[in-house]
Amino acid sequence: MIRILLADDEAMIRAGVRAILASDPSLEVVAEAGDGRQAVDLAIAHRPDVALLDIRMPRLDGLGAAAELRRVAPGTAVVMLTTFGEDDYIAKALDVGASGFLLKSGDPRELIAGIHAVADGAAYLSPKVAQRVIAQLSGGRMAKGAHARDRVGVLTEREREVLALVGAGLSNAEIARNMHIVEGTVKAYVSAILTRLGVRNRVQAAIVAHEAGLVA
């Protein structure tokens, strides 16, 4: 079972999301919060696999909650769920360590796919969000090719191979199968890569991989 914490200040939204998640028998909502502060407290108490956070909440917003969860519950992956698709929200969510970003207006199947992806150690952006990130990369606002190549230069050849697969969106299990190694070794590689690149999560590492030209 994938254990989920659901946080949104609108009870009706929580009910709708909970109903969608209930359609997948491998997903279980173990706690619900009406604000970011409560979400952090419940995450500490329940240690869910995934925290599904609305961005705009009282007391502590989703971005603040995500940042705090990275500190107090690092084993909980964070997915931001919001109606706001502006670039600054996307950038801020990724910067505070979110592994996924979904729009409430998206297909319900995206929600389930996103939960499974981040629980498996991968990153997930809804198609609309991914289009924005790609546009930023191709438009040059996030493109820092030379700097990214310098950063990647500190990695071993094997680490660069893993980083390329992370950039391609593969989960730890998929990388393990691709490289014919055990998943625990992949996790160790990914952890080392994040540290050596000075990034907080797989999404940021994937951006470096793209900027450095490791991914087509």
Side-chain angles (χ1 to χ4, degrees), residues 95-143:
D95 188 55
V96 297
S99 297
F101 196 106
L102 298 168
L103 301 180
K104 292 179 181 178
S105 58
D107 190 318
R109 290 172 295 184
E110 292 177 16
L111 174 61
I112 293 176
I115 294 292
H116 279 281
V118 300
D120 193 34
Y124 190 92
L125 302 178
S126 75
K128 289 182 179 179
V129 173
Q131 288 173 3
R132 289 176 181 269
V133 173
I134 291 171
Q136 290 176 349
L137 286 167
S138 61
R141 281 177 288 168
M142 294 173 63

Side-chain angles (χ1 to χ4, degrees), residues 8-87:
D8 195 297
D9 59 326
E10 297 186 37
M12 188 173 293
I13 295 295
R14 293 201 307 272
V17 172
R18 187 171 63 249
I20 293 171
L21 298 178
S23 67
D24 186 330
S26 68
L27 304 180
E28 178 187 9
V29 176
V30 296
E32 293 187 29
D35 60 66
R37 175 53 55 198
Q38 185 182 23
V40 172
D41 292 341
L42 289 173
I44 294 173
H46 293 273
R47 299 292 175 178
D49 301 302
V50 177
L52 189 59
L53 308 177
D54 185 27
I55 282 189
R56 291 194 174 182
M57 293 186 291
R59 297 180 68 198
L60 182 67
D61 65 14
L63 297 174
E68 193 161 339
L69 286 176
R70 188 177 66 242
R71 181 177 59 84
V72 301
T76 297
V78 173
V79 176
M80 308 304 302
L81 182 64
T82 181
T83 55
F84 305 94
E86 292 85 357
D87 293 352

